[in-house]
């Protein structure tokens, strides 16, 4: 038995979620539906134009949301990340540990600014992100804890790391350590725009061998494979991943277990906020397969969880919601 079900690596960002109208995005020249990297001044400008708009904050970043979901469902999880010694970093650390996740972070953290992600939710339930990476931009191999990685069933790599030279190097190093020590490798593409712009970087992270498990949505799958339809994309993904899950929004998901493609239906709901839905899908799915579920059962758990999440605001479910989902399906 390994100590951890999943060891994750990714950007540590405190999420700040705002409900806005399309007019705000147009006024501020924010590209709708994508994640855009911004500097501190640009984020300050956006914040000043939202003065008086209430928002919630939580420790986030794509992989952090996934790792917290693994923990909430009952799995053992470790997360390697980087925050500063500021108030935001202290908030992040306490929120992460409070959700049952073990981490490389301790009391002695570097001076600097912890990263923040502004998440704009429009009435159509779409999410748009503007992220200031702060100190997480220097996430590197120094943040890897080899002993904990090797004592995990899965390594989970956040795709956003491809945007930083040191982050990409850390992802490659972690993948090499995993492959050399029989730890399975899971990768998420994270964002369609990132996939399109950093395709070669993703190929470097994947390396010469296939990853054991790939997570992506329909747009990311087609972008990475240069396909104009999902069927072609699914077939081409088999050349880089032994197994994978492609989320299709309200249409559910397609999972490939290494032998067969399985179409998974999802509960039909009225969506308010799709932020974090893919992250939760990955977390629930990883919990499922590391707990002995078949891919189809794990995907049903993941789809049901994500469909519950999008009916509310925020990128995470509460612990009691997770337990209710587990009881109803398992």
């Amino acid at each position: 038995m390994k100590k951890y079900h999943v060891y994750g690596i990714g950007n540590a960002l405190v999420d700040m979620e705002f409900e806005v109208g399309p007019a705000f995005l147009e006024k501020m020249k924010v590209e709708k539906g994508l994640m855009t990297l911004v500097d501190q001044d640009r984020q300050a400008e956006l914040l000043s134009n939202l003065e008086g708009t209430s928002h919630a904050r939580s420790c986030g970043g794509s992989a952090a949301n996934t790792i917290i979901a693994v923990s909430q469902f009952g799995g053992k999880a470790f997360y390697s990340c980087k925050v500063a010694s500021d108030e935001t970093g202290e908030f992040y650390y306490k929120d992460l540990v409070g959700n049952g996740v073990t981490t490389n972070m301790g009391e002695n953290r570097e001076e600097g600014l912890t990263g923040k992600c502004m998440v704009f939710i429009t009435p159509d339930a779409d999410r748009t992100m503007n992220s200031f990476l702060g100190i997480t931009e220097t996430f590197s191999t120094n943040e890897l804890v080899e002993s904990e990685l090797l004592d995990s069933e899965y390594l989970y790599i956040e795709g956003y790391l491809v945007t930083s030279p040191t982050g990409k190097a850390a992802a490659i190093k972690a993948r090499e350590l995993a492959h050399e020590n029989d730890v399975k490798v899971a990768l998420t593409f994270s964002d369609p725009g990132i996939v399109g712009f950093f395709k070669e970087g993703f190929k470097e992270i994947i390396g010469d061998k296939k990853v054991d498990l790939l997570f992506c949505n329909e747009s990311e799958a087609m972008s990475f494979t240069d396909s104009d339809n999902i069927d072609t994309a699914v077939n081409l993904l088999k050349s880089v991943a032994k197994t994978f899950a492609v989320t299709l929004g309200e249409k559910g998901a397609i999972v490939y277990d290494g032998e067969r493609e399985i179409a998974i239906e999802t509960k039909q709901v009225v969506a308010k906020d799709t932020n974090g839905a893919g992250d939760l899908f990955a977390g629930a799915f990883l919990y499922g397969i590391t707990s002995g579920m078949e891919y189809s059962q794990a995907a049903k758990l993941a789809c049901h969880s994500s469909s519950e999440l999008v009916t509310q605001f925020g990128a995470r479910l509460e612990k009691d919601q997770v337990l209710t989902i587990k009881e109803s399906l398992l």
Side-chain angles (χ1 to χ4, degrees), residues 266-267 299-309 325 328-329:
T266 192
K267 182 173 65 173
K300 288 176 183 176
L301 176 66
C303 278
H304 191 90
S305 301
S306 295
S307 67
E308 182 70 22
L309 179 68
I325 292 170
S328 66
L329 292 182

Side-chain angles (χ1 to χ4, degrees), residues 257-283:
D257 65 3
E259 295 181 357
R260 62 194 179 111
E261 296 171 20
I262 309 164
I264 306 295
E265 294 184 356
T266 192
K267 182 173 65 173
Q268 296 301 299
V269 297
V270 177
K272 293 181 179 178
D273 176 6
T274 57
N275 183 39
D279 303 333
L280 176 58
F281 181 98

Side-chain angles (χ1 to χ4, degrees), residues 10-312:
N11 286 317
L13 301 170
V14 169
D15 286 340
M16 303 177 293
E17 189 164 290
F18 301 86
E19 294 178 58
V20 302
F24 173 81
L25 300 182
E26 293 174 11
K27 173 188 172 185
M28 300 307 299
K29 296 182 171 55
V30 173
E31 193 167 2
K32 186 176 181 295
L34 298 178
M35 193 286 288
T36 303
L37 294 176
V38 298
D39 60 22
Q40 187 181 8
D41 289 343
R42 171 59 170 166
Q43 197 166 77
E45 178 190 11
L46 292 168
L47 278 169
S48 68
N49 278 270
L50 288 163
E51 190 171 355
T53 304
S54 62
H55 67 279
R57 68 173 185 169
S58 61
C59 75
S62 174
N65 291 332
T66 295
I67 295 302
I68 287 172
V70 171
S71 177
Q72 285 182 320
F73 275 101
K76 299 294 185 182
F78 189 101
Y79 190 52
S80 275
C81 59
K82 189 171 186 178
V83 298
S85 59
D86 55 359
E87 184 276 333
T88 307
E90 184 65 15
F91 168 83
Y92 191 100
Y93 172 73
K94 289 181 177 178
D95 196 18
L96 185 66
V97 173
N99 277 282
V101 177
T102 308
T103 177
N104 65 303
M105 293 186 294
E107 296 297 323
N108 298 318
R109 298 188 291 274
E110 292 180 27
E111 292 185 5
L113 294 171
T114 297
K116 302 180 185 71
C117 176
M118 300 181 70
V119 185
F120 305 116
I121 307 301
T122 41
D124 60 357
D126 198 11
R127 63 97 179 109
T128 300
M129 297 182 290
N130 272 210
S131 300
F132 165 60
L133 295 180
I135 201 168
T136 194
E137 190 170 9
T138 62
F139 177 87
S140 71
T141 55
N142 293 332
E143 280 66 58
L144 300 179
V145 184
E146 184 173 338
S147 60
E148 305 290 53
L149 169 56
L150 302 190
D151 207 4
S152 304
E153 292 183 36
Y154 271 87
L155 163 68
Y156 181 77
I157 302 172
E158 178 188 297
Y160 288 123
L161 290 176
V162 75
T163 66
S164 159
T166 58
K168 184 177 73 171
I172 293 170
K173 177 64 175 177
R175 183 258 300 160
E176 290 173 345
L177 286 169
H179 277 153
E180 291 166 2
N181 293 276
D182 296 321
V183 176
K184 293 181 179 178
V185 177
L187 168 69
T188 174
F189 277 156
S190 296
D191 183 89
I194 296 295
V195 173
F197 198 78
F198 292 95
K199 191 176 301 182
E200 293 306 312
F202 274 110
K203 291 178 181 178
E204 291 179 63
I205 290 175
I206 293 168
D208 297 331
K209 297 180 180 179
K210 297 179 182 180
V211 294
D212 295 281
L213 175 58
L214 175 69
F215 292 100
C216 59
N217 63 27
E218 189 173 7
S219 297
E220 293 156 2
M222 291 192 289
S223 177
F224 184 79
T225 58
D226 293 318
S227 306
D228 57 8
N229 68 82
I230 191 60
D231 293 331
T232 301
V234 164
N235 283 325
L236 290 174
L237 287 178
K238 295 173 185 176
S239 66
V240 295
K242 296 177 183 177
T243 68
F244 52 79
V246 181
T247 56
L248 307 172
E250 63 183 14
K251 294 178 290 183
I254 298 171
V255 295
Y256 175 63
D257 65 3
E259 295 181 357
R260 62 194 179 111
E261 296 171 20
I262 309 164
I264 306 295
E265 294 184 356
T266 192
K267 182 173 65 173
Q268 296 301 299
V269 297
V270 177
K272 293 181 179 178
D273 176 6
T274 57
N275 183 39
D279 303 333
L280 176 58
F281 181 98
F285 190 90
L286 283 164
Y287 166 76
I289 61 174
T290 56
S291 300
M293 294 183 196
E294 298 291 333
Y295 269 52
S296 58
Q297 188 181 15
K300 288 176 183 176
L301 176 66
C303 278
H304 191 90
S305 301
S306 295
S307 67
E308 182 70 22
L309 179 68
V310 301
T311 65
Q312 63 187 45

